[in-house]
Amino acid sequence: MKEKANTLKNVKTLTLVAMLIALSAIGALIKVFNTVAFDSMPGYFAALYLGGWYGALVISLGHMLTAITSGFPLGLTNHIYIAVQMALYAYLFKFFYRKFNIYIAVIAATILNGPVATLLFVPIFGWGFFAAWVLPLTIASFANVFLAALVYKAISKRSRE
């Protein structure tokens, strides 16, 4: 009986991950600036709801879907680098949520995926890249992280009722 329950749980988790990746694909089409889009909200939500590793998977695939629909403007290797960064940030989002609270987690993820991620490209593209990308990336990062936290809180509250 326990094996059947575990199998059902795995099917539900796999289905939810697939749905969140599909939502990332839709968000990838809603561009804010170049490859900055609403693809990461489902990944941040997955990190909170399912765990950091699931969030890392969803968010990295979401970014690659955005890069594909944008024509890889920064090159394939740079977009893989961004996907790895975003996977780490989703995992850390869950870590900060667990260690502190949702507010600290939202602030940390926004700073990591905004200014820090942009700073990591200064050695490759220079300070002009940073100046052009830091504001739109930070704003979109905050929107994605905040919406994920809002949806998570609403679902958590609803499931407790």
Side-chain angles (χ1 to χ4, degrees):
M1 186 68 170
K2 184 174 170 113
E3 185 178 312
K4 187 175 181 179
N6 281 340
T7 303
L8 184 59
K9 183 177 186 263
N10 290 342
V11 169
K12 285 182 178 181
T13 302
L14 181 64
T15 303
L16 185 54
V17 168
M19 288 172 39
L20 290 169
I21 291 168
L23 280 174
S24 288
I26 293 167
L29 299 173
I30 305 169
K31 306 279 195 283
V32 176
F33 175 78
N34 204 330
T35 61
V36 179
F38 282 96
D39 59 333
S40 60
M41 186 282 236
Y44 285 119
F45 172 77
L48 291 177
Y49 193 74
L50 298 171
W53 292 111
Y54 288 111
L57 173 69
V58 172
I59 204 166
S60 60
L61 289 175
H63 174 74
M64 292 310 290
L65 291 167
T66 298
I68 289 168
T69 60
S70 302
F72 292 103
L74 301 176
L76 178 61
T77 53
N78 285 323
H79 283 290
I80 291 171
Y81 176 52
I82 293 168
V84 169
Q85 283 180 26
M86 292 181 73
L88 176 63
Y89 303 152
Y91 186 85
L92 289 174
F93 180 53
K94 175 66 175 197
F95 172 79
F96 285 120
Y97 173 73
R98 216 182 282 144
K99 189 86 171 159
F100 302 103
N101 59 43
I102 195 70
Y103 305 107
I104 299 295
V106 167
I107 291 166
T110 300
I111 290 169
L112 286 169
N113 197 38
V116 171
T118 314
L119 268 174
L120 291 173
F121 274 97
V122 169
I124 300 168
F125 295 117
W127 287 104
F129 178 87
F130 178 84
W133 284 77
V134 70
L135 188 61
L137 187 57
T138 303
I139 292 168
S141 295
F142 175 74
N144 277 289
V145 173
F146 181 74
L147 287 172
L150 213 59
V151 170
Y152 175 73
K153 282 295 188 184
I155 287 175
S156 295
K157 186 177 183 181
R158 183 107 168 124
S159 65
R160 279 185 257 135
E161 292 176 352

